[in-house]
Amino acid sequence: MQNSVAMFDLFSNIPFSPLAELEVGQHFYWHIGSFKVHGQVFLASWVVLGLLIVTCILATRNIQRVPSGLQNFMEYALEFIRDLTKTQVGEKEYRAWVPFVGTLFLFIFVSNWGGALIPWKLVELPSGELAAPTNDINTTVALALTTSVAYFYAGLSRKGLGYFADYAQPTPIMVPFKIIEDFTKPLSLSFRLFGNILADELVVAVLVFLVPLFVPIPLMVLGLFTSAIQALIFATLAASYIGEAMEDHHGEHHD
């Protein structure tokens, strides 16, 4: 898939960068001033967001005291996200972070499943091709950096500048390691999600080409399962990082 292997395009928006010419695959670009962005990623992301918005509107337009149908499903999803956030962030602090963690989980979940269920290739572009938003490294890096901003905000709003004092716990020798850890967290989040989604789609695509009947179907079902797991892992780790940022160096949440 041409737009699936655009790892080096992360640097393509940097003006005058010597890496800007290093690209893999073809892409549908939008030019905004001196910058160019992957138009196919925005288009696919808007489809995912549209699906989420429409689902939320349909589920809440006629709320019943005894939920059923789509309302019942959405309430179950909300309860699941609330429990996940409470477990990772802590009972006293979790409520403010349910919308953020829930948005991450739902966007990644629908993006991953959309990549497997929506026939993106039926939509022809001048160049490149449509695919799941999480199939592009730029999307996963953006989600990971947003998570980094969130847990820095959580730590600073809870402890002020004392948040950085925790870098020296239990010994000042740990300071460079804590700094490196803050850089590796978003990298691990982004590459884990991107790599798993890309690998799954490539395996299914190759098998569909080689053995077009029956054999790819179980793998596609397995792909849906692993896609859901990847969304859960990303949201769980994001909530865990936020919880860690707000706890003291003894591992207990502040009152």
Side-chain angles (χ1 to χ4, degrees), residues 20-230:
E21 299 300 323
L22 183 58
E23 299 181 0
V24 180
Q26 296 179 0
H27 306 280
F28 176 52
Y29 288 113
W30 288 343
H31 294 273
I32 303 176
S34 60
F35 295 92
K36 59 182 180 179
V37 296
H38 288 187
Q40 76 268 14
V41 176
F42 279 93
L43 291 173
S45 298
W46 290 342
V47 171
V48 171
L49 292 174
L51 289 173
L52 288 170
I53 292 171
V54 170
T55 302
C56 291
I57 292 174
L58 293 176
T60 58
R61 65 177 179 174
N62 186 23
I63 297 178
Q64 303 293 325
R65 292 182 63 87
V66 180
S68 62
L70 189 57
Q71 180 187 341
N72 189 50
F73 174 77
M74 291 301 291
E75 288 190 9
Y76 172 79
L78 175 60
E79 190 66 25
F80 173 78
I81 293 168
R82 185 181 296 159
D83 290 341
L84 184 154
T85 309
K86 181 190 294 185
T87 301
Q88 300 299 324
V89 177
E91 189 169 355
K92 296 181 180 179
E93 309 280 357
Y94 82 96
R95 293 183 184 276
W97 293 102
V98 170
F100 176 76
V101 176
T103 300
L104 281 179
F105 174 77
L106 291 175
F107 178 79
I108 296 172
F109 179 84
V110 176
S111 294
N112 292 352
W113 272 44
L117 299 177
I118 298 176
W120 297 104
K121 291 181 176 56
L122 295 180
V123 180
E124 295 186 3
L125 299 175
S127 60
E129 61 184 22
L130 290 175
T134 46
N135 190 273
D136 192 289
I137 188 65
N138 297 278
T139 303
T140 60
V141 168
L143 292 171
L145 290 177
T146 302
T147 301
S148 295
V149 172
Y151 71 71
F152 274 117
Y153 170 79
L156 290 171
S157 62
R158 195 71 180 88
K159 306 176 186 178
L161 293 179
Y163 169 76
F164 296 107
D166 290 344
Y167 280 40
Q169 299 295 335
T171 170
I173 298 176
M174 295 299 298
V175 170
F177 297 101
K178 294 290 183 67
I179 295 174
I180 293 174
E181 182 183 7
D182 280 337
F183 280 100
T184 56
K185 280 180 180 177
L187 284 175
S188 64
L189 280 175
S190 58
F191 281 99
R192 180 188 293 110
L193 178 59
F194 168 71
N196 280 281
I197 300 304
L198 172 60
D200 177 67
E201 292 196 6
L202 287 177
V203 168
V204 172
V206 170
L207 286 176
V208 167
F209 176 75
L210 296 176
V211 190
L213 295 176
F214 302 118
V215 174
I217 295 177
L219 287 176
M220 292 176 70
V221 175
L222 179 61
L224 292 176
F225 175 74
T226 56
S227 294
I229 293 299
Q230 289 303 316

Side-chain angles (χ1 to χ4, degrees), residues 147 151 185-186 188-189 192 236-246:
T147 301
Y151 71 71
K185 280 180 180 177
S188 64
L189 280 175
R192 180 188 293 110
T236 301
L237 288 176
S240 175
Y241 295 157
I242 291 169
E244 289 177 4
M246 291 191 294

